[in-house]
Amino acid sequence: MKHKTEDELFAYREGEMKGREAIAAHLQQCGECRAELERIEEVFAALNAMPVPDPGEAYGAKVWQQIADRLPEQNASWWRGLFAPRRLMAFGTAVALLAVAFYAGRKTGPPAGGERVADAGKVRERVLVVAVGEHLGKSE
Ligand SMILES: [Zn+2]
């Protein structure tokens, strides 16, 4: 039996009609693909549940550019679906909140001004990669 790709499952979740019946039929018989769809659902549920103060439209796009290359190739295509403006904003906001919490939690001394900015940037990237990795790694 040929499994459905993340792209197909993502399209199915988004209400795409093409191939819908075949995917639904496959999902009925295939626990693996159901689990995969659930994993995708979880990520979106988490994103949609986040509060959305306005971090500025450019922010989400900038963050995305920073992480796009780090995402595992097989997962990259459906993650692009996150480009819907509201999701992108929630995503950027979540990253900012995580970064602030993480950085505040581990700050040990008073670094110089310029250093602090650089460090915060590095920490933010690391936190983001970890957060994304956790979402993507939840399937087992
Ligand atoms: Zn399958």
Side-chain angles (χ1 to χ4, degrees):
M1 180 163 39
K2 189 173 173 294
H3 290 304
K4 298 302 169 188
T5 66
E6 282 185 326
D7 275 345
E8 285 173 309
L9 292 174
F10 178 72
Y12 177 80
R13 187 200 169 276
E14 293 290 281
E16 170 67 49
M17 293 312 290
K18 186 166 154 277
R20 193 168 187 82
E21 280 178 28
I23 293 174
H26 180 87
L27 284 170
Q28 289 216 320
Q29 308 167 14
C30 180
E32 263 180 71
C33 287
R34 273 201 306 276
E36 186 65 18
L37 183 62
E38 263 174 45
R39 196 170 66 111
I40 293 172
E41 291 282 6
E42 271 178 28
V43 173
F44 277 93
L47 288 173
N48 287 332
M50 284 165 188
V52 189
D54 184 2
E57 280 183 29
Y59 181 72
K62 202 171 136 205
V63 170
W64 171 256
Q65 285 191 338
Q66 288 177 353
I67 65 160
D69 292 341
R70 292 180 173 77
L71 290 174
E73 190 54 43
Q74 66 172 108
N75 293 315
S77 49
W78 70 263
W79 272 93
R80 288 194 192 105
L82 299 175
F83 266 121
R86 189 192 170 278
R87 284 178 188 145
L88 195 58
M89 221 176 263
F91 192 53
T93 303
V95 170
L97 291 175
L98 276 170
V100 169
F102 193 72
Y103 184 63
R106 45 172 301 166
K107 193 168 62 160
T108 52
E115 231 177 289
R116 180 187 303 215
V117 171
D119 284 352
K122 272 186 218 151
V123 170
R124 184 171 59 214
E125 286 184 16
R126 203 175 310 139
V127 168
L128 179 63
V129 170
V130 169
V132 169
E134 275 175 8
H135 279 309
L136 294 178
K138 264 188 184 168
S139 59
E140 310 308 352

